[in-house]
Amino acid sequence: MNNSEFQSLSLAAENGGGQAAIQRQRNAGKKTARERIELLLDDDTFVETDKFVVHDCNVYGMDKKRYPGDGVVTGYGKIDGRIVYVYAFDFTVNGGSLGRANASKIVKLQKLALKNGAPIIALNDSGGARIQEGVNALSGYSEIFYQNVKASGVIPQISAILGPCAGGACYSPALTDFIFMVKDLSYMFVTGPDVVKAVTHEEISKSELGGSTTHTSVSGVAHFVGRDEEETLMMIRELISFIPSNNMEDSSMRDTHDTAKRECPKLDTLIPEDPNIPYDMKELIEEVVDEGYLFEVMAGFAKNIIVGFARIGGRTVGIVANQPLHLAGVLDIDASDKAARFIRFCDCFDIPVVTFEDVPGFLPGKDQEYGGIIRHGAKIMYAYAEATVPKITLITRKAYGGAYIVMSSKESGCDVNMAYPGAEIAVMGADGAVNILHRKAEGDERQHAVDDYKALFSNPLRAAEKGYIDEIILPRDTRNRILDALEMTQNKSEVNPPKKHGNMPL
Ligand code: HXC
């Protein structure tokens, strides 16, 4: 092959499934695989691997549908100067379907990413297993899933869904750390509307079944949604900026325009005196973190708990916070799953966890009990207790019962526990306690009992007297005390007892 033959082969590979197929891709409102990679990475940093791989399937006319690269563009490049590995399904080539040859390209990249300790990002747009390849396609998926599991907790794995993601194509994303979707463009389901209709007789549209709204607000399968492809890819770049490249690298530091030590006077009046009046926990978080910026994860799902990344003094932290604005910040099944998974990500990648707590308890009711709130709620306890990263908890108002325990209480292994002077730390609220202890009391007698209980427990002193919290702090000192705690714990070294792995409730 001479240079010009090589160049035309290379151009053919870059042309994917041909101009007509590219036009169909554009008509569907989608970018090509290469355009996506270009948008995602720093300029001129993409190095392509396995550009000339082809499949060897000859049935069902596949010998006439052989394109160099075989429908997945693989390689590596940089985001903000840091190496990442990336692969993008090319829908213009056989619908981005997965066969044995392009699966091997992906597996090779997964192994490179793992060996070299850098994040891997998958840009999905695929009809799933290549039907013409039969079990060879399934074998390809198995190997990709296996590598996903081996890499879990070693390098960050990120998936974007930029078109259809059907059948087997869903499971690799589900095994990765974060899933991004695009509004009105992407959908994920194990079986599509036609199969659903045949099996359950339900009529449902593609987007209702597996669109971005479904997965970011109902199922909790996806973590982020962008308005369009550009925004989604920029959100991936932003996520990368918060996290280390692998589990051995220190969590990310970045220069901040914020003053390290500063008071937050607004917090002195943010929390209403009446414990039944809600406030927005996001306002509190934004006062405390660098430049008032929280990169929220799963913002549309289980809004009664907030999780996300922020920086304090330039250092990445994971924020977990009850949200009194939704369901009074109660813990339910979805909130438990959301928080536990996020805490475990932070622990994998050495990111300290800062918890803001205002929680009236676990949500009571038949639906929750039948759904297994006991099993799901236990996940938060497990995740916090297992985590060996620095853990800092601030009780801003209510900390009742089991929810107090699981939200990173002192005895569950938290490093620094603080509370505001108005915090209430008790087995339950005063009304509930009086209903049980003074069942028959009415009128003034009942009111006295409530007042007595409040006097005893509606402050953090009982907990402070026993050392269950380390410090009572003024709200305006929140950022400074958390900064101190992060500095104090920055060389924390704690190791769990040797074991193959724990048996987390699932
Ligand atoms: C082979 C496929 C394909 C597939 C699409 N194509 N999916 N080829 N295997 N799985 C081809 C089409 O034949 C067509 O080829 C081209 O890709 C574009 O597809 P269209 O259907 O024209 O595109 P569109 O109308 O946009 O519809 C996209 C789609 C639909 C919704 C994804 O193609 C579809 O339903 N595909 C099948 C989805 C599916 O059931 N996959 C198998 C899942 S089972 P031509 O040559 O005409 O352009 C699975 C098992 C693994 O994945 C389980 C592991 C756990």
Side-chain angles (χ1 to χ4, degrees):
M1 181 167 64
N2 62 32
N3 287 357
S4 86
E5 284 164 344
F6 159 69
Q7 278 170 318
S8 41
L9 188 62
S10 195
L11 272 181
E14 286 165 21
N15 208 24
Q19 282 311 311
I22 291 174
Q23 193 53 49
R24 277 200 298 279
Q25 180 81 347
R26 295 206 196 293
N27 293 347
K30 297 192 289 182
K31 299 195 177 300
T32 65
R34 282 167 202 283
E35 287 167 347
R36 288 165 173 167
I37 291 175
E38 213 167 286
L39 275 170
L40 176 70
L41 300 179
D42 295 349
D43 290 346
D44 298 324
T45 60
F46 183 56
V47 178
E48 189 169 351
T49 57
D50 289 334
K51 193 171 185 178
F52 303 111
V53 162
V54 285
H55 68 73
D56 59 6
C57 176
N58 292 316
V59 295
Y60 294 107
M62 283 304 280
D63 48 331
K64 295 189 187 60
K65 293 185 174 178
R66 196 169 277 138
Y67 302 88
D70 198 27
V72 183
V73 183
T74 53
Y76 54 91
K78 291 183 180 168
I79 290 183
D80 293 333
R82 293 162 63 203
I83 288 284
V84 297
Y85 294 79
V86 60
Y87 62 94
F89 285 87
D90 183 348
F91 194 81
T92 68
V93 176
N94 298 317
S97 56
L98 188 102
R100 190 53 256 190
N102 60 19
S104 294
K105 286 179 64 169
I106 294 171
V107 170
K108 191 165 155 187
L109 198 77
Q110 288 177 303
K111 288 181 178 169
L112 265 183
L114 181 59
K115 192 162 54 178
N116 293 297
I120 185 161
I121 301 163
L123 307 180
N124 295 276
D125 187 1
S126 163
R130 186 172 292 162
I131 296 162
Q132 300 90 331
E133 290 203 27
V135 71
N136 288 329
L138 302 185
S139 142
Y141 268 133
S142 296
E143 212 179 333
I144 293 170
F145 301 166
Y146 180 82
Q147 287 303 327
N148 283 136
V149 175
K150 291 295 157 187
S152 181
V154 184
I155 51 171
Q157 301 182 87
I158 295 163
S159 304
I161 315 298
L162 305 173
C165 196
C170 294
Y171 283 102
S172 178
L175 291 166
T176 62
D177 297 302
F178 296 105
I179 298 180
F180 290 73
M181 293 185 80
V182 185
K183 193 169 178 290
D184 300 329
L185 193 77
S186 54
Y187 48 93
M188 301 175 78
F189 34 67
V190 174
T191 49
D194 294 345
V195 179
V196 171
K197 191 172 174 198
V199 177
T200 69
H201 308 296
E202 275 171 293
E203 295 229 17
I204 187 161
S205 68
K206 271 194 312 199
S207 63
E208 209 186 332
L209 187 63
S212 62
T213 306
T214 299
H215 287 312
T216 54
S217 64
V218 183
S219 72
V221 165
H223 303 81
F224 300 95
V225 57
R227 276 189 306 268
D228 51 31
E229 291 195 53
E230 279 96 337
E231 187 182 71
T232 306
L233 296 167
M234 292 311 113
M235 287 164 79
I236 295 177
R237 287 179 63 90
E238 182 161 24
L239 172 63
I240 291 284
S241 80
F242 278 101
I243 60 183
S245 293
N246 59 61
N247 64 336
M248 305 299 281
E249 194 179 275
D250 279 345
S251 79
S252 306
M253 285 293 293
R254 183 174 260 218
D255 290 341
T256 170
H257 299 297
D258 212 329
T259 324
K261 288 262 177 156
R262 60 169 166 80
E263 290 197 331
C264 309
K266 190 177 157 193
L267 297 185
D268 284 344
T269 52
L270 179 75
I271 301 177
E273 277 183 23
D274 181 344
N276 297 318
I277 297 181
Y279 60 97
D280 188 354
M281 186 63 95
K282 271 189 217 162
E283 270 186 57
L284 192 150
I285 296 166
E286 285 162 6
E287 273 300 297
V288 172
V289 300
D290 288 356
E291 294 154 35
Y293 186 63
L294 171 70
F295 184 62
E296 205 177 342
V297 176
M298 297 182 97
F301 180 74
K303 292 182 179 178
N304 35 330
I305 201 152
I306 300 164
V307 301
F309 299 103
R311 295 188 177 87
I312 298 182
R315 185 179 189 191
T316 295
V317 294
I319 303 281
V320 179
N322 310 112
Q323 171 57 293
L325 270 192
H326 290 272
L327 293 172
V330 77
L331 288 177
D332 59 4
I333 290 170
D334 287 347
S336 303
D337 287 354
K338 173 175 166 178
R341 178 125 174 102
F342 181 74
I343 294 160
R344 296 194 98 215
F345 178 85
C346 292
D347 191 45
C348 288
F349 293 103
D350 199 28
I351 297 171
V353 178
V354 178
T355 303
F356 297 96
E357 179 173 355
D358 186 349
V359 60
F362 281 99
L363 182 64
K366 191 174 94 176
D367 287 351
Q368 290 289 307
E369 295 294 351
Y370 280 23
I373 181 65
I374 297 172
R375 173 166 57 88
H376 292 281
K379 292 178 192 174
I380 306 192
M381 179 69 212
Y382 196 103
Y384 270 124
E386 182 191 40
T388 54
V389 287
K391 291 174 283 190
I392 296 155
T393 299
L394 170 66
I395 300 171
T396 59
R397 194 162 64 175
K398 295 172 202 161
Y400 292 161
Y404 157 77
I405 300 169
V406 304
M407 289 296 294
S408 201
S409 56
K410 188 88 216 155
E411 297 69 35
S412 73
C414 185
D415 299 298
V416 179
N417 293 70
M418 298 179 275
Y420 285 164
E424 301 172 32
I425 305 172
V427 175
M428 60 179 68
D431 284 313
V434 168
N435 287 345
I436 293 167
L437 296 178
H438 305 276
R439 204 177 292 262
K440 298 198 175 108
E442 283 174 4
D444 283 352
E445 190 192 347
R446 186 176 189 286
Q447 193 52 51
H448 282 311
V450 169
D451 292 345
D452 283 351
Y453 190 90
K454 278 189 180 158
L456 200 56
F457 289 115
S458 292
N459 63 68
L461 262 184
R462 297 291 89 77
E465 283 166 2
K466 301 281 185 192
Y468 302 149
I469 58 166
D470 305 301
E471 268 187 279
I472 300 172
I473 66 166
L474 289 173
R476 78 182 74 130
D477 293 327
T478 306
R479 177 176 163 94
N480 291 344
R481 291 286 80 75
I482 292 177
L483 204 55
D484 291 339
L486 285 167
E487 275 180 14
M488 188 274 279
T489 54
Q490 70 183 345
N491 293 326
K492 181 182 176 185
S493 163
E494 187 185 349
V495 182
N496 284 324
K499 54 179 128 178
K500 188 170 174 192
H501 57 72
N503 189 10
M504 184 184 191
L506 293 172

